Each structure stands twice: as C-alpha cells, then as structure tokens.
Amino acid sequence: MKKRIVVKLSGSLFGLEDMKTLKQYAEFFVKMSKVCQPIIIAGGGKIARHYISHARSSGADESTLDELGIEVSRLNAKLLIYALQEKAYPHPPVNLKEVANAADTGLIVVTGGLHPGQSTNATAALIAEKVRANTFFNATDVDGVYDSDPNKNKNASKFKKISIKKLRSMLVHQDSIAGGYDLMDIVALKVIERSKLKTRILKADTKILEKAIKGSPEGTEITLV
Ligand code: UTP
C-alpha cells in the first residue's frame, strides 16, 4: 500500500478570482499519487465566511452556521474532484468511516468538513488519524508559524519547529500568532498529540508541497515535545 498523506487545502485556494489554481493542484496531486495516496480536505474560504455572515445576520444559530460552512467546503471539494476526474473518489465523504472506505479504494480522496463545531484543520487531523497517514500537511496562506504577525512586524521570525505545548500557549493568546486560529486549533492539536501525527504547516504552493512530500523540511514542523 502507498503511504498516505493528508493535505488540508486552505479555502483561499477556491476563490472566485482564479480558475487555474485548482487545475494546477489537480495535476500536482495526480503526479504525487504515483508515490503516495493524497487525502485532501478543502477549506470553506471566503465564500463560506460570506454565507455564514449573511445567515448570522438573519439570526441563524451557530451549529446551523457550521453546517453552512461544511456545505461550502464540500462544494469546494467537488471542484477539485471534477478537476481530478477518474483519479478521484467521485464525491466528498461525509463522515470518518466513509473517508476510510474511500481511502481503501486507493483513489485520491477529497472531502470538506465533517462535523459542526470544528474547523477543517481539526477535521483534517481526525482524518489523518483515521487513515493512519504518514504525514499531515496543513497548506495555508502563510509559510509557517511566526513568533509574531509577519504582516505587522517586519522582524517576525519563523519557527522551523514548534512544540504542541508552545503552539497551544500561543493559541490561547491569539493576538500573538500570525493568522491565529486559522493555522491550527486546540482540537487539531489534541488529535496530533494523542496519535503522534507527523505534522507540518506550510505555504499552499505546489512546488513547496512537492518538496515537503519528498521529505524537505518546508514550513514549520509541529513536534510532540
Ligand atoms: P474553515 O474555516 O475551516 O475553512 O471552515 P477555511 O476557509 O479553510 O479556513 P482557512 O482557509 O484555513 O482560514 C469553514 C467553516 O465551516 C465550518 C466552520 O463553521 C468553519 O468556520 N466547519 C468546517 C465545521 O463546522 N466543521 C468542519 O468539519 C469544517
């Protein structure tokens, strides 16, 4: 069996602006599928936030808003599935068991969110645990974890490695971390810790991801101690 990798793709890749990006990602994952089996989790991005803020202003409750976010992330997942054509499991699995069954087909699997009350990062960690992934890559719009917001502080420096403990304490003081909650959240960290998942936060860029999949230390590695 090929080693499995789990990749959380930031919702920002599924923006309205650019149709080329997804096609590039599809080609990239087909190429990578020769050496590993990609299991991909699509984020909800701006479109999810747009729907959520509309529905919130109409008074919808929080779990309903989460379900809306999940639906959008599944639509994003479908866009990537269509670009992957027959190389992909034909629809986004809706629960962990279905993700595992889909992975057993050997195809590339693309899913969105699964349960209300969590982020796609936490879901991706649970999926990595379930499919016994070799590595969990969180591909996002920053190139790793910084000691302060690199958009605000030009002297911010990037961690090559960061322990779960330190990341957790930074998440508690969200202001002190670039992108804050978006990079990883408490539930995701808990899962990474309990299953000792090899995890890396890195820039959503196919060249960088390819290097990382081949073992290069791109972005920031999350360490257990
Ligand atoms: P995310 O906020 O995780 O997507 O999901 P994102 O756009 O990828 O985030 P970035 O790009 O990393 O910043 C969108 C919303 O969908 C709901 C939540 O409300 C979340 O804020 N969701 C998603 C769930 O409730 N459960 C899931 O498993 C996934």
Side-chain angles (χ1 to χ4, degrees):
M1 192 172 81
K2 281 182 200 153
K3 71 174 181 183
R4 290 173 172 167
I5 56 155
V6 164
V7 182
K8 152 74 202 296
L9 280 185
S10 164
S12 60
L13 295 176
F14 301 85
L16 298 170
E17 298 81 15
D18 140 37
M19 307 284 169
K20 269 196 305 197
T21 312
L22 268 193
K23 293 209 173 69
Q24 281 166 3
Y25 269 91
E27 281 166 21
F28 166 71
F29 282 119
V30 170
K31 181 177 164 197
M32 287 300 105
S33 68
K34 297 192 173 86
V35 293
C36 62
Q37 183 187 15
I39 318 283
I40 302 151
I41 294 85
K46 260 197 235 161
I47 303 174
R49 282 188 273 279
H50 168 77
Y51 273 84
I52 287 172
S53 76
H54 259 280
R56 184 176 276 125
S57 69
S58 303
D61 66 88
E62 288 298 316
S63 66
T64 299
L65 299 178
D66 281 342
E67 276 166 355
L68 207 47
I70 292 172
E71 284 188 63
V72 174
S73 66
R74 283 187 186 145
L75 287 175
N76 286 339
K78 283 186 182 177
L79 287 180
L80 184 55
I81 289 172
Y82 301 149
L84 287 161
Q85 301 180 354
E86 77 288 348
K87 302 283 186 197
Y89 186 75
H91 66 92
V94 297
N95 57 48
L96 278 178
K97 194 160 190 285
E98 200 193 343
V99 173
N101 291 341
D104 286 343
T105 64
L107 291 164
I108 299 172
V109 179
V110 193
T111 182
L114 298 181
H115 311 289
Q118 60 194 40
S119 68
T120 39
N121 291 327
T123 298
L126 283 164
I127 288 174
E129 181 176 68
K130 186 74 181 172
V131 303
R132 300 181 185 282
N134 175 277
T135 314
F136 166 27
F137 295 102
N138 187 358
T140 181
D141 47 7
V142 291
D143 63 351
V145 181
Y146 283 78
D147 59 358
S148 62
D149 188 342
N151 295 319
K152 292 183 193 148
N153 175 8
K154 65 178 173 26
N155 296 320
S157 64
K158 190 172 84 182
F159 294 100
K160 284 201 163 70
K161 294 181 178 194
I162 188 167
S163 69
I164 290 185
K165 196 169 163 209
K166 172 127 195 195
L167 193 50
R168 191 179 278 133
S169 75
M170 288 167 80
L171 290 173
V172 172
H173 312 284
Q174 267 188 52
D175 283 340
S176 63
I177 181 171
Y181 219 67
D182 294 344
L183 289 181
M184 216 36 108
D185 54 62
I186 303 292
V187 180
L189 290 181
K190 177 105 198 134
V191 176
I192 291 166
E193 188 172 40
R194 73 179 184 186
S195 287
K196 303 182 174 50
L197 288 174
K198 221 158 83 182
T199 303
R200 203 166 265 290
I201 297 176
L202 73 184
K203 180 103 175 156
D205 174 299
T206 51
K207 289 201 176 71
I208 293 174
L209 262 171
E210 178 165 356
K211 283 196 219 160
I213 291 169
K214 291 179 176 164
S216 165
E218 304 297 319
T220 300
E221 181 189 349
I222 300 184
T223 59
L224 298 174
V225 281

